[in-house]
Amino acid sequence: MPGENLTRDEARERAALLSVDGYEVSLDLRSAVGEHDGGGPRTFRSVTTVRFRCAEPGASSFADLIAPGVTAVSLNGRDLDPGQVFDGSRITLEDLAAENELVVDAQCAYSRTGEGMHRFVDPEDGEVYLYTQYEPADSRRVFANFEQPDLKAPYRFEVRAPEGWTVWSNGAGELTDGVWRFAETKPISTYITCVVAGPYHYVTDSYERVLEDGTRLEIPLGAMCRKGLAQHFDADDVFLVTKQGLDFFHDHFDYPYPFGKYDQAFVPEYNLGAMENPGMVTFREEFIFRGKVTRASYEGRANVILHEMAHMWFGDLVTMEWWDDLWLKESFADFMGAFSLVGATRFTDGWITFANRRKAWAYRADQLPSTHPITADIRDLQDAKLNFDGITYAKGASVLKQLVAYVGQDAFLEGARRYFKRHAYGNTRLGDLLSVLEETSGRDMAAWSRAWLQTAGVNSLTPQVLLREDGRIDELAIVQEAAESHPELRPHRVAVGLYRRTDSGTLERYAQAETDVEGARTVVAELAGADAPELVLVNDDDLTYCKTRFDETSLATLREHLGSLTDPLARALCWSALWNMTRDALLPARDFIGLVVRFAGRESDIGVLQMLHAWAESALVHYAAPDWRETGERLAAEDALRELREAGPGSEHQLAWARFFATVASAEQDLLLLLKDLLDGTVEIDGLEVDQELRWAFLEPLAAHGVADEKRLDEELARDDTASGKRHHVRCLAARPSAAVKAQCWAQVVESDALSNALVEATISGFAQASQRELLAPYAEKYFAAIERVWTERSIQIGMDVVRGLFPSFQDSRATLDATDAWLTSHEDAAPALRRLVLESRDDLARALRGQACDAAAAGR
């Protein structure tokens, strides 16, 4: 990564000097197929013409390009020596004129890391597939440009591709004389340009709408995937959600979709969930389901489709000036994804998922040492890469949800409409959005922004209940607390719910009051005189962003009657609060596992159930006292098997319990053998179809415990000789309990760059097995010896995967914490982004040790 960084100061200086009129980019991708001589990276020709203006004629600047070689550079008709002006990541531009034309002829490299022009060879049929992925700054790996979001310009792409291929880009394309030529785009940023090319399976549809002025809007729709996935591709459902989203956003935004067509490509070995390239959205192909999945998976895909669609307005039409204001697109897209999911699709319980899953991501990120305000301080591109996190997405979305409650939905949406019209095809900062919201709401947004957007950390809200002699509430107050490191006490709009058991035994809400929480203690006067509650829920309806705490009576009620709580959102909020207490070492892990064992089987919302399974596994692996861990695993496994057998045949709950059983079955040898029998078909459970994806889910724990050997795994690959099967196979091979296997995995990931990004991810996933703590112990020292070199030599994506994925988190001892501290102390000059990743992993480990101490202290009760 040396020399590839761009600082905010450099970007501001360049933006003040230059403005870009347009790009013409010609790519020759015919080299993607056929033999490669192996004498260096496989490359393609990239010829870029950039027309731009300079505010100070005679000044100097630079263009961005990361490429193995540059054949020719000319500036204003003057040939420049590539060896003199190109240093591997920048092209020096001197003596600029008022109007300039730069032409760069380069040999750019195909990628195997998911950054730039990614090349994938399908092992099933040998077909080659290409796609680009740029955010935040990898378009410079494909064509020369000015790689920063505020130098927008229109683009014309032309592509030469192998015979029989189809090529797509942001604009509509046409094949003439062997060249794919694409319509000029609107002014957009470099990072959302896109090219997809190959023998993709392509399905079409269209969307039509009559606008308010009587004109007809027609948007051609397309959806594509690899040919090997075509049999599993439910394009009809993708188009259904797409049309519902387009209806919703046109209804609410009053700004017609501005980018012509709307293609959606599901591509292999994708690092992200999806990317909002206008007219050419890309998704990870795992959103095409090869086996049976639960409704939560379809909901998750729909949410991502709508999230990316919201970006067409928030992010593509109007773009942040620099990555400091990344939230201006990501927070809004995350909020709008859930907002439209509930308002336009069959997934009307989307706010439950948001409360349970998305906010859990935010709560974790906001308690790390790297936490930051939603409007972050992004010094350079490495900072930007790491800030695609739970704060920028989920906390920002949570805060916007509260903002809607604060200013009103109508004022919020009218503000959005004015924002689009005022800044179309431009770049904005925080103040631009706040000003329109002040106009439409009449509220002072500055104070709200200071409290919610410009400070870090999460508050906790705890109820205090004082009763009168007659048993009614004398006073109900909410106590607000903040961490010492981030002491801001924020204003919260909350609903406080009172719950009690009915004669039938259900736990129901009987009173609720909305109030504004200010400062350290707020009295909820409206609830004085109400009957005494058995449960007080201080963030009922999930209006604000906070950690919910319970008074002693409420916690005791949940311990005995959590499964009797009938409202699914309230139940999800209670589960989330209990999980936060477990992570904060306020609730022993064994108590959380006990609650899951007692009440998870009664959970009706499948997304909540699957989240509970993930949390229970995490509690066992990280927060349970080591000497109780085996007991906890056995309790969880026995419960999972019982629920699996009792679940409705063929139901999604049965599938969820089957997957959870596979993750915890290692507690007993007889449970592992039962899992093997289910895989082999010698034992059957009524209604449970062990399809190919479930087979691989069963095989990983069997491989990790030595029940499935290499021969067995090879046999499974022969059965599923596909790209997906290959990734599963690599992960299962890496999971085997062998010192030689671990050494080989380490060498493949750390000492070599031969594996693609997807296979690096699969290898790390299989390598890091919680059940193999002793086997992995030697790699703690090796990790700290290797990470700075890996960070320097490898791409930032692979560097992130290695630093996060191979941190010795399963060596959960004070010694590992000390080793981490020693590395941080001796590497104060290491790249800030690298130090951030290590600090985050250290914090996770320290939190786990505190949780284990809390759980151990509960042993003698």
Side-chain angles (χ1 to χ4, degrees), residues 466-762:
L466 299 177
L467 299 178
R468 302 189 313 218
E469 289 185 2
D470 63 1
R472 293 180 178 273
I473 294 176
D474 182 45
E475 181 183 87
L476 192 155
I478 299 174
V479 176
Q480 179 176 194
E481 297 175 289
E484 290 184 11
S485 56
H486 301 284
E488 180 80 17
L489 297 180
R490 299 182 179 86
H492 298 263
R493 182 68 179 175
V494 300
V496 182
L498 306 183
Y499 292 77
R500 64 185 175 193
R501 281 174 292 161
T502 65
D503 291 341
S504 62
T506 58
L507 194 57
E508 307 272 2
R509 186 173 66 202
Y510 64 92
Q512 186 191 65
E514 286 197 17
T515 192
D516 291 313
V517 173
E518 299 277 356
R521 192 173 189 272
T522 302
V523 174
V524 187
E526 299 89 333
L527 294 176
D531 289 342
E534 294 180 77
L535 168 67
V536 180
L537 190 53
V538 295
N539 189 25
D540 213 11
D541 294 339
D542 196 38
L543 297 184
T544 194
Y545 171 79
C546 71
K547 289 196 293 189
T548 297
R549 301 300 198 206
F550 301 109
D551 63 322
E552 290 185 9
T553 299
S554 297
L555 185 56
T557 298
L558 291 175
R559 287 181 185 276
E560 297 299 324
H561 305 291
L562 176 55
S564 302
L565 192 55
T566 56
D567 182 82
L569 178 56
R571 200 168 57 243
L573 292 171
C574 288
W575 277 118
S576 176
L578 292 165
W579 176 239
N580 277 322
M581 290 175 65
T582 305
R583 294 188 71 249
D584 290 344
L586 298 175
L587 182 72
R590 66 190 65 200
D591 289 8
F592 185 81
I593 295 298
L595 289 166
V596 171
V597 168
R598 289 187 64 187
F599 299 123
R602 299 170 66 177
E603 180 54 58
S604 59
D605 187 287
I606 190 63
V608 173
L609 177 62
Q610 289 178 283
M611 197 76 241
L612 291 177
H613 290 161
W615 288 342
E617 181 184 8
S618 183
L620 290 168
V621 169
H622 298 294
Y623 302 112
D627 59 1
W628 185 82
R629 194 174 285 143
E630 186 176 324
T631 299
E633 289 172 350
R634 185 176 66 254
L635 290 172
E638 291 172 350
D639 176 60
L641 181 57
R642 180 173 60 254
E643 295 292 347
L644 170 59
R645 286 171 167 159
E646 293 178 358
S651 68
E652 59 184 1
H653 280 67
Q654 183 187 59
L655 177 61
W657 283 108
R659 287 186 169 273
F660 183 53
F661 175 64
T663 66
V664 293
S666 60
E668 300 283 352
Q669 185 69 14
D670 61 329
L671 296 177
L672 281 170
L673 294 177
L674 174 60
L675 190 65
K676 179 179 181 298
D677 290 341
L678 287 170
L679 174 67
D680 294 339
T682 56
V683 171
E684 294 183 355
I685 293 177
D686 185 23
L688 181 66
E689 178 186 355
V690 185
D691 60 26
Q692 189 58 64
E693 286 297 294
L694 193 55
R695 292 179 66 83
W696 285 115
F698 286 2
L699 270 168
E700 183 176 350
L702 294 175
H705 291 85
V707 179
D709 59 12
E710 183 176 5
K711 179 175 180 293
R712 178 66 186 81
L713 298 176
D714 290 346
E715 290 171 354
E716 196 67 28
L717 179 62
R719 175 191 177 106
D720 183 27
D721 192 10
T722 64
S724 300
K726 175 65 174 176
R727 291 193 296 273
H728 288 309
H729 181 250
V730 166
R731 187 181 69 254
C732 290
L733 285 175
R736 290 172 295 157
S738 158
V741 165
K742 301 304 177 185
Q744 181 184 38
C745 292
W746 183 269
Q748 289 173 331
V749 169
V750 176
E751 308 301 337
S752 168
D753 64 357
L755 295 180
S756 70
N757 57 321
L759 297 186
V760 166
E761 181 183 355

Side-chain angles (χ1 to χ4, degrees), residues 50 67 77 140 157-158 170 196 253 290 299 322 474 494 500 595 606 632 637 675 698 732 764 790 804 812 829-830:
V50 194
R140 55 191 170 149
F157 285 93
E158 67 173 41
N170 303 91
V196 175
F253 287 170
R290 298 199 314 150
E299 178 184 333
W322 177 248
D474 182 45
V494 300
R500 64 185 175 193
L595 289 166
I606 190 63
L675 190 65
F698 286 2
C732 290
I764 290 174
V790 169
R804 281 177 173 153
D812 42 4
D829 296 331

Side-chain angles (χ1 to χ4, degrees), residues 382-408:
Q382 288 192 14
D383 277 357
K385 182 75 171 178
L386 267 63
N387 262 47
F388 290 83
D389 60 13
I391 296 171
T392 301
Y393 283 71
K395 180 182 179 180
S398 303
V399 168
L400 289 177
K401 187 172 187 276
Q402 184 193 229
L403 177 62
V404 172
Y406 177 62
V407 303

